Structure formats: C-alpha cells, structure tokens
Amino acid sequence: MIRFDQVQDALLGEFGPQHWWPADDVFEIIVGALLVQRTAWRNVEAAIAHLKTAGLLDPDVLRRTGVEAIEQCIKSTGFFRTKAGRLKNLAACIVKHGGTESLASLSTPEMRSLLLQVDGVGPETADAILLYAFNRPVVVIDEYLRRLARRLTPDRATIPDNRIRAWVAGTIDDVVGLNELHALVIAHGKKSCGRVPDCPQCAIRSMCGTGRTALEA
DNA sequence: CACCAGGGTGGTT
DNA sequence: AACCACCATGGT
C-alpha cells in the first residue's frame, strides 16, 4: 500500500505549502468552516469581513442576532438562509457549553459528537473544526480524498471512510501534517488532474493503481 | 450558456 | 443503505 506521507510529499512539491487556516480567531475559523460548505473560499472571505464589521463575529452576539442581519452579511456564500440558521445553531451550542475556551477542555471524541448534534454540522465540517479551530489530530475526509484514495489502489476499489482514516493516520498523525494534507488534497482535487482518471499530468501519477498509468501502458 | 465551489438535510426507493 | 432534490451566490 502506498504510504500517505509520500503522497503528501508529492503534492507538497507540486502545489507548495497551503498555509491554512487563514484566520487567527477560533470562532472565526468555526464560522468559516460552516460558511465554506459547497462554496468557494473567496466568497466566504467577504462574508466574514461583513460579519466582523457588524460585530457579529462572537458566539454570544451571533446567537441573539436576527437571521435577516446575518443573511445580509453572508449572502455571497450562497445558501444564505440555510447558513444563517446554521450559524445560530453553532453559536448557541458553543455558548451553552461555556464558550470556545471551555470546549477546548473536552476530549476529541466528546467534541466531535457534540458538534455533530448541531443541525447543519456534518462529519466533514465537524472534523475541519476539530483540526483547524481546536488543533486536534483528525483526518478530514472529503470527496476529493475518497477519489484520491480510490485511484491509489491497484483495482480502484472504493474504500470506506474508516479505512481511509486508518490508512492516512498510519503515516500522518500530527496536527501540522494533517492540516497540510487536507489543504493539499483540495488543491489537487480542484485542479483538472484531480478529475481525470490516474492524474495523467501530476505528481501523484506514478503512485496511481499498479504504478503505471493508462497513458504509459 | 453550463458547470463548479473546502456539505448537509430530508424525503423517496 | 443508496440515491435524490434542494439550498443560492459568484466565478470561469
């Protein structure tokens, strides 16, 4: 089986450091993780700037703010009605448990199940929050990673999420590495080679399938 | 014009 | 359990 740290090295060589997450504040990272659902990041930046200007980038404030005001700020992210409600759900959950500082004392499994109880937070968003906002060593699994894992196997077999987790964690188990990996996987997936079978042009090519691409065969 | 973007939910087979 | 429509704006 291909070592995932080698995959990461190859991606790093091709795409360079991604320096995620582009924020310093914990709650801002959490808000960004929610708003970026099915949305390009550049459209999230404007929304966060609006929220910051309006003074809404705080759990206790956001929790008690009307949805219309929130919708106005986040319109650029799409699904703004859905996301305004989800932001309030998240803020309410955080306040209920004493703020981000108190949450930080929870174990990773505890925090994960807590996040998953919030309407609008699914597995990927929860894991992104754990990794990028709370610095927990978590493997964030998205469609890009599933696709990548599949093409790295000899028979292109679909691999269950828990297997992907174990596979990645086998060689990448630290926060910095997992942080960089998720960002690199997305950078790779967004490029055209990420959608073409066996990555005919990129650094991953030699690792796909049996080690030979369809083009070389 | 069509298609995609750092998903999740609820309903239907 | 596997699909499906839906959410909705902004860029290419």
Side-chain angles (χ1 to χ4, degrees), chain A residues 14 30 42 50 84 86 92 106 115 119 126 137-138 141 149 151 160 166 192 217:
Chain A
E14 179 160 353
I30 294 172
R42 60 176 176 278
H50 292 147
R86 289 178 177 181
L106 295 177
L115 289 169
D119 186 20
V138 168
I141 298 182
R151 70 180 54 173
S192 58

Side-chain angles (χ1 to χ4, degrees), chain A residues 18-25 28-34 36 41 44 48 128-129 131-133 179 182:
Chain A
Q18 302 297 306
H19 45 74
W20 278 16
W21 194 284
D24 44 343
D25 177 62
E28 182 175 334
I29 295 173
I30 294 172
V31 169
L34 196 302
V36 80
W41 177 254
V44 177
I48 289 180
I129 291 173
L131 177 59
Y132 292 101
N179 177 322
H182 178 55

Side-chain angles (χ1 to χ4, degrees), chain A residues 61 66 89 97 118 127 152-153 157 193 200 206 208:
Chain A
V61 173
N89 294 342
H97 291 273
V118 178
D127 288 338
L152 290 173
T153 66
C193 65
S206 63
C208 291

Side-chain angles (χ1 to χ4, degrees), chain A residues 2-210:
Chain A
I2 301 286
R3 291 169 55 104
F4 242 94
D5 58 340
Q6 294 176 350
V7 175
Q8 181 175 27
D9 286 345
L11 292 177
L12 186 60
E14 179 160 353
F15 298 99
Q18 302 297 306
H19 45 74
W20 278 16
W21 194 284
D24 44 343
D25 177 62
V26 173
F27 188 62
E28 182 175 334
I29 295 173
I30 294 172
V31 169
L34 196 302
L35 291 180
V36 80
Q37 290 174 356
R38 208 61 192 180
T39 304
W41 177 254
R42 60 176 176 278
N43 295 325
V44 177
E45 289 181 315
I48 289 180
H50 292 147
L51 288 170
K52 192 176 293 185
T53 300
L56 302 181
L57 220 47
D58 173 89
D60 195 49
V61 173
L62 194 61
R63 173 177 68 98
R64 291 179 285 109
T65 301
V67 286
E68 296 84 3
I70 300 174
E71 289 174 1
Q72 195 77 6
C73 292
I74 68 173
K75 212 164 259 183
S76 63
T77 67
F79 308 128
F80 58 86
R81 294 186 188 89
T82 303
K83 287 176 177 175
R86 289 178 177 181
L87 281 181
K88 294 194 64 165
N89 294 342
L90 244 181
C93 174
I94 290 169
V95 170
K96 177 180 177 182
H97 291 273
T100 54
E101 301 86 357
S102 298
L103 277 175
S105 65
L106 295 177
S107 70
T108 298
E110 286 172 336
M111 201 185 303
R112 189 171 198 274
S113 60
L114 190 65
L115 289 169
L116 288 176
Q117 288 172 15
V118 178
D119 186 20
V121 177
E124 187 174 339
T125 302
D127 288 338
I129 291 173
L130 286 168
L131 177 59
Y132 292 101
F134 292 99
N135 299 310
R136 305 302 173 93
V138 168
V139 180
V140 181
I141 298 182
D142 59 6
E143 277 307 310
Y144 290 136
L145 181 56
R146 294 190 183 98
R147 204 182 305 173
L148 178 56
R150 204 172 354 191
R151 70 180 54 173
L152 290 173
T153 66
D155 56 353
R156 276 67 168 175
T158 298
I159 306 176
D161 286 0
N162 56 358
R163 290 268 187 84
I164 296 178
R165 275 218 160 74
W167 185 8
V168 173
T171 51
I172 307 176
D173 59 354
D174 62 301
V175 174
V176 174
L178 292 167
N179 177 322
E180 193 63 22
L181 177 69
H182 178 55
L184 285 169
V185 165
I186 289 169
H188 168 259
K190 281 162 68 172
K191 285 209 59 126
S192 58
C193 65
R195 301 196 198 87
V196 176
D198 295 328
C199 302
Q201 293 275 82
C202 82
I204 297 300
R205 176 182 43 98
S206 63
M207 301 178 183
C208 291
T210 58

